Amino acid sequence: REGLSPLVYAMFLATLAASAPSMPALHEGAARAAPARPHPLPAGDWQTLTHDRLGFKIDYPANIFQPADGQQPDAGHILVSHDGRAKLLIAAFDNETQASLRDYRAHVLETSYAGADIDYAPVRQSWFVLSGTRNDTEFYERVSFTCSGQRITSWAMLYPHAQQDYYNPILEMIARSFRPSRMSDAGCRNANQV
């Protein structure tokens, strides 16, 4: 939990850790009874999700994802597909313990993706991606360090492996739209006030 605010840690990483392993268990019987069909709706009604204080921006298809009930949008957002099998999560928070990008990446691997088959994992100076499969669930998470490492913005998408042909193009469009927390001086001055 090092480097994370308790609210964001509880909301974001717990959702990632709890959602991915439970998705196959919840839908295992249905998936075996009938092969997964491609999602019937084309991605459309693209909306932009922003957070004035935290400064991130991401686009998503509102006809596929809708806000989850009972969330605390002050820390981030959880969007869920209509069938509940795909999730889009985004959060931004202060790096309270000044964890390095590499240390935080190791933490995310250990707490959210232990035992996963990682197939894409670039690491750059201020961001990293972890993407792969665990328990028949595809995941993609991008983490960006901004404000000289004072703020962490993270977004992730989880969806059934059986529907990857449908969700992969949507993931690519979402990824292209993502902008992490503001990197301007004004945005960074607010980093300790989140």
Side-chain angles (χ1 to χ4, degrees):
R1 168 173 121 59
E2 210 168 309
L4 302 176
S5 70
L7 176 61
V8 172
Y9 185 79
M11 180 196 82
F12 192 71
L13 291 182
T15 300
L16 285 176
S19 298
S22 65
M23 286 174 74
L26 288 174
H27 302 285
E28 196 169 330
R32 287 195 178 124
R37 295 178 292 141
H39 203 289
L41 296 173
D45 190 20
W46 285 83
Q47 303 288 316
T48 300
L49 183 63
T50 60
H51 196 292
D52 291 337
R53 189 166 44 96
L54 299 176
F56 59 76
K57 172 199 160 306
I58 197 165
D59 297 338
Y60 69 96
N63 68 324
I64 305 298
F65 291 103
Q66 57 198 358
D69 294 332
Q71 62 180 310
Q72 302 269 342
D74 197 41
H77 298 272
I78 300 172
L79 304 172
V80 181
S81 63
H82 295 286
D83 65 3
R85 298 183 72 198
K87 293 177 178 58
L88 178 62
L89 307 100
I90 184 166
F93 45 90
D94 287 345
N95 183 359
E96 295 171 349
T97 63
Q98 299 301 307
S100 71
L101 183 127
R102 293 199 186 275
D103 288 345
Y104 186 71
R105 181 181 181 274
H107 171 76
V108 172
L109 272 168
E110 181 182 321
T111 59
S112 296
Y113 305 113
D117 179 22
I118 305 290
D119 57 25
Y120 180 66
V123 178
R124 302 296 184 265
Q125 183 176 353
S126 62
W127 60 268
F128 65 86
V129 169
L130 295 170
S131 180
T133 307
R134 183 179 65 186
N135 298 333
D136 296 325
T137 299
E138 295 286 323
F139 62 86
Y140 177 100
E141 181 171 357
R142 176 169 172 162
V143 176
S144 298
F145 276 47
T146 58
C147 300
S148 300
Q150 295 175 43
R151 181 169 293 148
I152 299 171
T153 306
S154 183
W155 74 272
M157 188 166 150
L158 306 160
Y159 51 95
H161 176 74
Q163 293 181 322
Q164 69 178 336
D165 289 343
Y166 174 73
Y167 281 109
N168 284 349
I170 295 170
L171 171 67
E172 291 172 14
M173 289 187 282
I174 292 170
R176 282 193 292 266
S177 77
F178 172 68
R179 298 295 174 266
S181 294
R182 285 184 290 270
M183 295 190 285
S184 69
D185 287 340
C188 290
R189 275 196 297 268
N190 294 330
N192 293 324
Q193 299 171 3
V194 175

